[in-house]
Amino acid sequence: MRTKQLHTIIGTLALFTLMISLFVSCEKSQPIEDPQHFDLDVTFHTENLKDQSNKGFGFLKFRQDPDTARIITLDTYIFNLLPNHSYLLQRAANLFSDTTTCTNASWLTLGLGSVAQDIATDSKGDGHETLFRNVTGVARGSAFHIDFQIIDAVTLAPVLSSDCYEFIVR
């Protein structure tokens, strides 16, 4: 009777040790902390557009803070465009699962959250606006191909465009 209890205790300890060793040895998936997919430095140019008559250019600091609100800051700068004029920032995105890159023609106008906001230029044709986008409704780790464009707020014609970037929701 006593050896049966001893075998039960040894068996339980062996099973417990096996379970602990399996748990410790399993590879844990850590969140990706590669800032190149969270924080983008986007440049705007005219190379991809039909009308290259303007000599404008721009820059977008796309930043995702590691907060629970999942707000993306879009610090947008444009230069050498029409003076005292308004422009809009747009983005197009498609999932990584789509084998093509940046082919989505569905442009979304960005601004202050879900409200579009003009980027006004001064007398030199330069402008700056700090915009933001709330992506709380998108699952963390979702990966996208994304590109941007600056459009004329009056004619809605693209004046500057970006290359294609890879972006992951933090």
Side-chain angles (χ1 to χ4, degrees), residues 17 23 33 70 83 85 94 106 108 121 123 145 151 159 162 164 167:
T17 305
F23 177 76
E33 285 300 326
R70 286 186 264 172
H85 198 71
N94 55 321
S106 298
L108 174 68
T121 57
S123 60
H145 296 289
I151 64 168
V159 294
S162 76
C164 184
F167 151 64

Side-chain angles (χ1 to χ4, degrees), residues 76-123:
T76 310
Y77 299 84
I78 51 177
F79 305 97
N80 296 335
L81 295 176
L82 290 176
N84 305 312
H85 198 71
S86 291
Y87 295 91
L88 296 166
L89 173 65
Q90 292 186 323
R91 69 97 176 123
N94 55 321
L95 293 170
F96 266 12
S97 59
D98 184 353
T99 56
T100 56
T101 60
C102 290
T103 57
N104 186 344
S106 298
W107 291 97
L108 174 68
T109 301
L110 302 171
L112 302 175
S114 59
V115 178
Q117 173 66 38
D118 288 2
I119 304 166
T121 57
D122 59 17
S123 60

Side-chain angles (χ1 to χ4, degrees), residues 14-15 25 41 44 59 68 74 76 86 89 104 109 134 162 165:
L15 182 61
S25 68
D41 291 328
F44 293 107
F59 183 76
T68 55
L74 305 160
T76 310
S86 291
L89 173 65
N104 186 344
T109 301
N134 184 336
S162 76
Y165 293 87

Side-chain angles (χ1 to χ4, degrees), residues 11 15 17 19 24 43 45-46 49 57 69 75 79 86 98 111 115 122 133 143-144 147 156 166-167 169:
L15 182 61
T17 305
M19 296 303 276
V24 171
T43 55
H45 44 76
T46 59
L49 302 173
F57 62 97
D75 209 7
F79 305 97
S86 291
D98 184 353
V115 178
D122 59 17
R133 178 92 175 132
F144 298 90
D147 58 334
L156 303 181
E166 293 178 357
F167 151 64
V169 176

Side-chain angles (χ1 to χ4, degrees), residues 30-48:
Q30 297 293 325
I32 300 170
E33 285 300 326
D34 182 3
Q36 85 176 20
H37 294 297
F38 302 132
D39 297 335
L40 306 175
D41 291 328
V42 177
T43 55
F44 293 107
H45 44 76
T46 59
E47 283 90 24
N48 298 335

